Amino acid sequence: MSSTTSLETDRKADAPRQGTPLIEVQNLKKYYPIKKGILSKTVGHVKAVDGLNFSIYPGETISLVGESGCGKSTTGQAIVQLDPPTEGKVIFQGRDLSTLSNTELRQLRPQLQIIFQDPYSSLNPRKRVGDLLAEPLLVHKLADKSEVTRKVDDILEIVGLTKHHRNHYPHEFSGGQRQRIGIARALILNPKLIVCDEPVSALDVSIQAQVLNLLKDLQQKFQLTYLFIAHGLGAVKYISDRIAVMYLGKIVELGTTEEIFKNPRHPYTQILLSAYPVPNPHLRNRNRVVVEGDVPNPANPPKGCSFHTRCPLAQSICREKTPDLMGSGHTVACHFPLA
Amino acid sequence: MSSNLLEVEKLQTAFKNDKGEVISVDEVTFNLKPGETIGIVGESGCGKSVTSLSVMRLLGKSGYIKKGSIKLGGNDLAQLPEAHMRHIRGNEISMIFQEPMTSLNPVFTIGNQMMELILLHMKLSKKEAKMYAIEMLKKVGIPRAEEIIHEYPHKLSGGMRQRVMIAMALSCKPKLLIADEPTTALDVTIQAQILELMKKLRQESNTAIMMISHDLGVIAEMADKVLVMYAGQVVEEADVFALFDEPKHPYTKGLMESIPHLEYDSHERLASIPGTVPTLKHMPKGCRFHTRCPFANEKCKNEKPPLLSINQHDEHKVRCWLYEDQHQQILADTQREVHA
Ligand SMILES: Nc1ncnc2c1ncn2[C@@H]1O[C@H](COP(=O)(O)OP(=O)(O)O)[C@@H](O)[C@H]1O
Ligand SMILES: Nc1ncnc2c1ncn2[C@@H]1O[C@H](COP(=O)(O)OP(=O)(O)O)[C@@H](O)[C@H]1O
Ligand SMILES: [Mg+2]
Ligand SMILES: [Mg+2]
């Protein structure tokens, strides 16, 4: 495994982050009201996403990792404008999306696509695959009737299905094939960015690799930019150029894949990485940092650094002052980052 | 070598439905010693849960053990009357599931449920049972156990509920604990806590564990030996180190290569197994993996391979025709040793 070091230094990780970002996320917040009683009075807010700042550069894959409920899906949905943010901006190719009219936004939508963990729930079971794929093209007036069939056939080939699949219904496909249909549906609009929200989590191990390879091939072929959300660390390592680690609605660390894995600086990142079981029994007695307790309630996050309640290194300042994301390139939000 | 606690021999489990019978699990054979952990790994639908539910004899109305035996102590669980089986469940074997809420009753407090179980299986007074329940909760790392005992299950987080399940499962000191994807629904940091807890308790109690998971990482972390299942059958059995260092079955190899390792170089493509797992209704003739196997030949397409032993001590077995020569060689060597 020693040869990987030289290869890793020339990976494309650093290359695409020059020039203007495709997406800039500025102080993004999404608060969901908590309602109680028969009058549905708002009694508080779930701070699902609480002040995110980061950029996505053309052609890169940036991953969001963190435990369930930390705000990954909310972030993805806010970026593709599925769910408007409570505060903050999403700037796409220099244009602040919050200032656009509905017509302008509709024209932009095809360029920002999303695929989900369970494509089945997002595919109408009563429609044939051909129609499911033609639909977005017709809705966005991106092809006329005469072109549609050819485009659908082409996209089916591209994602590893055949044109004969056009006449089948979603339930006739396996999980992996359905995810290919989900990918085809996003891809057919010729997007710039695809948010991949846990695209392989519901698939069997042997099928996950097929879909990950497909996503990687498509990225090269069509110069796609990905915001990738995933559970498995291996998949993240395999697909990402950069990784943002989230905890309770905030980014606690952001860096290149290599930096995050080799030199994690936030105690939470270190704990998260060491928590993953490694498929190598020789490493089973490695020194791992096991964190105590549960993730706090996002409706009532701890004061100061939100990780301080579980952090083995917490000191008094951590309970009072929220640390900012600091540094250049590799950034970390911690009063006492690891060396 | 100590003797076996559990011996499962050629287990075949079937379900009846309106169209007839489907065989879910076929020719599953393995042994387990006291204190040993066997990992059962494979993709969804390959028969992991049905195997464990067969051992528990919790197959519902439509399921039944059609062939084979499950020996625990002097009993064959496949033959035991239900009344006797009920005594064994909870006492000698207990089980934890992926979603603890399926086995916790939402309308009773944690304490009620634990005490009911303890009183049923142990000769203790009510007061002693309560003390013991608190002791068990503390043992699995539940803070404020004296208060938690009065809570209802939905008040607890997923990780805490799974701890309660483990406390309940271990409270009657079972000889065998079956854990069916016990950490799959949990976050990784909580999964790490639960796995560490299970390791600690296993060491203290010498309980044998059947650890079921689709995650090769969890298996590598926990198991002493491993069964790899594919399409209802065991395709490989080996010591955990042998399995990960030198997987033999083409399916096991494919599975190992298709998980993105952390040491993976991003320039490489992931290896993947083509195609999909066959369904019970469309099981291929011959070897069940042959339609996806890069090494399949005529024999594989037509003849079912048996589980072949490929080392001297019968510890590494593979259901694959590619190892027939190696198996014959081992047989011959063993014969020679016996005659010498
Ligand atoms: N529509 C919603 N209404 C109220 N709360 C929500 C909604 N969607 C998500 N949340 C809450 O916001 C937080 C972040 O959720 P999510 O972005 O889905 O996290 P992740 O994808 O990282 O698991 C969670 O606490 C979740 O319960
Ligand atoms: N109650 C049941 N009735 C009919 N078929 C079942 C039942 N339970 C499981 N099966 C079938 O048995 C096979 C093995 O399932 P299972 O053991 O649950 O797989 P897994 O390895 O995912 O735990 C599957 O094909 C499943 O559909
Ligand atoms: Mg999510
Ligand atoms: Mg199962």
Side-chain angles (χ1 to χ4, degrees):
Chain A
M1 294 290 150
S2 57
S3 64
T4 54
T5 358
S6 62
L7 280 168
E8 288 202 353
T9 43
D10 64 28
R11 43 189 295 179
K12 69 180 173 119
D14 290 313
R17 280 181 296 112
Q18 289 149 9
T20 36
L22 183 72
I23 300 269
E24 279 170 81
V25 174
Q26 294 180 357
N27 193 32
L28 185 75
K29 291 186 183 175
K30 179 74 194 184
Y31 291 1
Y32 292 105
I34 307 168
K35 298 199 191 281
K36 272 236 171 80
I38 37 170
L39 297 175
S40 291
K41 241 179 70 183
T42 301
V43 294
H45 287 92
V46 175
K47 295 177 177 170
V49 168
D50 199 15
L52 297 191
N53 290 289
F54 68 99
S55 299
I56 310 176
Y57 292 87
E60 79 166 335
T61 298
I62 184 165
S63 286
L64 300 180
V65 304
E67 297 173 271
S68 61
C70 71
K72 306 180 296 292
S73 297
T74 305
T75 306
Q77 292 181 8
I79 288 174
V80 300
Q81 302 293 302
L82 266 184
D83 205 2
T86 311
E87 217 184 293
K89 288 180 188 165
V90 176
I91 296 167
F92 174 60
Q93 292 185 319
R95 298 166 81 190
D96 178 354
L97 297 184
S98 65
T99 63
L100 300 187
S101 70
N102 280 343
T103 324
E104 287 172 314
L105 203 55
R106 204 171 321 126
Q107 282 168 350
L108 254 173
R109 254 181 214 286
Q111 302 193 45
L112 302 170
Q113 288 296 306
I114 185 164
I115 55 182
F116 297 99
Q117 171 172 353
D118 178 12
Y120 200 51
S121 60
S122 53
L123 298 173
N124 184 337
R126 281 190 293 272
K127 287 196 172 160
R128 291 172 200 271
V129 164
D131 297 328
L132 286 168
L133 293 177
E135 198 174 63
L137 280 178
L138 297 170
V139 167
H140 291 287
K141 303 195 175 63
L142 289 175
D144 52 46
K145 285 252 163 64
S146 61
E147 286 176 304
V148 165
T149 316
R150 187 183 52 79
K151 284 206 165 185
V152 167
D153 289 352
D154 284 353
I155 210 81
L156 282 169
E157 294 273 340
I158 286 168
V159 300
L161 298 168
T162 71
K163 59 181 175 191
H164 305 291
H165 286 115
R166 214 190 311 134
N167 297 318
H168 292 258
Y169 290 93
H171 72 87
E172 296 173 68
F173 293 86
S174 67
Q177 287 175 319
R178 272 184 227 144
Q179 195 52 284
R180 288 176 194 271
I181 297 168
I183 293 170
R185 215 168 119 96
L187 198 64
I188 203 165
L189 294 171
N190 201 14
K192 290 270 185 327
L193 174 84
I194 303 183
V195 171
C196 307
D197 192 351
E198 312 232 12
V200 298
S201 304
L203 303 177
D204 272 322
V205 184
S206 74
I207 310 299
Q208 286 186 7
Q210 296 175 7
V211 173
L212 289 174
N213 282 334
L214 174 66
L215 286 171
K216 239 182 168 176
D217 292 346
L218 294 175
Q219 179 168 45
Q220 285 224 313
K221 211 164 175 177
F222 301 103
Q223 281 91 50
L224 294 168
T225 306
Y226 290 145
L227 177 70
F228 193 80
I229 299 171
H231 237 67
L233 212 54
V236 167
K237 169 113 199 265
Y238 176 66
I239 202 136
S240 330
D241 299 307
R242 290 193 299 150
I243 295 174
V245 181
M246 291 184 70
Y247 189 76
L248 275 177
K250 290 193 162 73
I251 292 178
V252 296
E253 182 163 4
L254 199 163
T256 61
T257 304
E258 194 186 348
E259 277 289 307
I260 294 287
F261 277 92
K262 287 223 177 101
N263 185 22
R265 302 205 59 206
H266 198 286
Y268 178 65
T269 308
Q270 198 190 38
I271 284 162
L272 188 69
L273 296 186
S274 83
Y276 278 92
V278 183
N280 178 350
H282 297 285
L283 300 178
R284 56 168 40 164
N285 293 322
R286 70 193 179 286
N287 268 334
R288 54 176 2 182
V289 205
V290 177
V291 69
E292 305 268 309
D294 284 320
V295 180
N297 182 352
N300 187 18
K303 243 188 84 187
C305 169
S306 46
F307 188 57
H308 85 249
T309 54
R310 302 170 79 197
C311 184
L313 306 176
Q315 311 214 4
S316 58
I317 185 174
C318 309
R319 290 183 270 276
E320 283 144 31
K321 194 171 171 292
T322 309
D324 291 324
L325 206 52
M326 307 275 275
S328 65
H330 186 172
T331 55
V332 58
C334 177
H335 295 299
F336 305 99
L338 306 160
Chain B
M1 230 186 252
S2 67
S3 62
N4 293 321
L5 169 73
L6 178 73
E7 293 181 356
V8 176
E9 179 79 25
K10 292 205 163 62
L11 172 71
Q12 188 186 68
T13 302
F15 290 92
K16 264 211 170 64
N17 60 23
D18 32 329
K19 290 187 203 100
E21 181 188 70
V22 284
I23 310 276
S24 277
V25 150
D26 198 14
E27 286 203 41
V28 169
T29 299
F30 64 92
N31 298 329
L32 193 57
K33 294 190 179 72
E36 194 176 35
T37 298
I38 190 166
I40 305 184
V41 70
E43 299 176 88
S44 61
C46 70
K48 304 181 295 294
S49 294
V50 170
T51 301
S52 58
L53 293 170
S54 302
V55 175
M56 282 295 269
R57 280 261 306 273
L58 287 174
L59 293 163
K61 280 218 172 68
S62 59
Y64 47 96
I65 295 169
K66 204 177 167 195
K67 286 186 193 159
S69 61
I70 303 171
K71 297 224 171 78
L72 181 84
N75 295 312
D76 180 358
L77 305 187
Q79 307 291 340
L80 230 49
E82 176 56 26
H84 194 160
M85 202 53 220
R86 225 171 313 174
H87 177 77
I88 286 186
R89 267 182 235 126
N91 241 343
E92 294 188 42
I93 317 177
S94 51
M95 183 158 180
I96 52 180
F97 299 90
Q98 173 170 338
E99 185 31 76
M101 274 317 263
T102 56
S103 31
L104 286 171
N105 191 329
V107 303
F108 291 111
T109 63
I110 302 291
N112 283 149
Q113 302 186 49
M114 289 191 74
M115 282 169 63
E116 186 189 316
L117 186 87
I118 292 166
L119 290 170
L120 183 71
H121 291 290
M122 296 171 92
K123 291 187 184 68
L124 291 179
S125 73
K126 262 196 156 162
K127 202 172 152 208
E128 287 168 331
K130 186 176 173 188
M131 299 278 288
Y132 183 58
I134 292 171
E135 183 192 323
M136 284 309 296
L137 289 176
K138 286 191 170 153
K139 202 172 205 164
V140 298
I142 297 215
R144 301 181 294 112
E146 294 86 352
E147 293 164 45
I148 292 289
I149 203 159
H150 301 295
E151 294 282 11
Y152 291 89
H154 68 265
K155 283 279 193 184
L156 305 184
S157 68
M160 282 297 157
R161 273 184 220 141
Q162 201 55 285
R163 283 177 195 263
V164 169
M165 279 311 302
I166 293 173
M168 286 174 72
L170 295 181
S171 60
C172 301
K173 305 192 172 65
K175 298 193 184 88
L176 173 64
L177 174 69
I178 303 178
D180 190 351
E181 309 257 6
T183 58
T184 303
L186 305 174
D187 270 318
V188 277
T189 60
I190 310 298
Q191 165 167 283
Q193 294 171 359
I194 299 288
L195 295 182
E196 289 303 316
L197 172 69
M198 289 182 71
K199 284 184 196 170
K200 189 186 98 179
L201 295 174
R202 151 178 91 181
Q203 214 172 24
E204 287 169 11
S205 64
N206 206 34
T207 311
I209 301 177
M210 275 169 72
M211 183 80 186
I212 292 160
S213 181
H214 69 284
D215 184 341
L216 282 164
V218 170
I219 297 293
E221 195 87 34
M222 298 294 292
D224 298 313
K225 63 178 182 184
V226 186
L227 295 182
V228 181
M229 292 189 71
Y230 183 80
Q233 293 183 323
V234 174
V235 296
E236 184 157 3
E237 176 186 340
D239 167 80
V240 68
F241 292 99
L243 188 85
F244 281 85
D245 291 345
E246 279 182 79
K248 298 290 187 194
H249 196 284
Y251 173 66
T252 317
K253 286 185 182 173
L255 207 56
M256 301 258 179
E257 283 163 15
S258 64
I259 22 176
H261 291 282
L262 291 182
E263 307 92 61
Y264 233 93
D265 176 29
S266 70
H267 291 287
E268 283 175 69
R269 272 176 75 79
L270 287 176
S272 66
I273 306 175
T276 50
V277 181
T279 57
L280 292 176
K281 270 177 277 170
H282 300 107
M283 209 46 90
K285 226 180 105 191
C287 170
R288 294 182 175 185
F289 186 61
H290 89 253
T291 52
R292 303 174 75 191
C293 182
F295 311 107
N297 57 35
E298 276 311 306
K299 186 164 184 175
C300 308
K301 287 176 193 159
N302 297 305
E303 292 175 49
K304 288 186 191 2
L307 200 57
L308 300 168
S309 191
I310 55 162
N311 79 350
Q312 287 268 355
H313 303 291
D314 213 25
E315 284 155 347
H316 202 152
K317 297 177 197 161
V318 196
R319 191 182 297 278
C320 175
W321 286 124
L322 297 176
Y323 295 90
E324 204 185 5
D325 289 347
Q326 199 172 335
H327 171 68
Q328 293 301 342
Q329 188 62 50
I330 293 289
L331 276 187
D333 290 353
T334 319
Q335 287 284 325
R336 245 195 317 275
E337 266 176 33
V338 170
H339 288 291

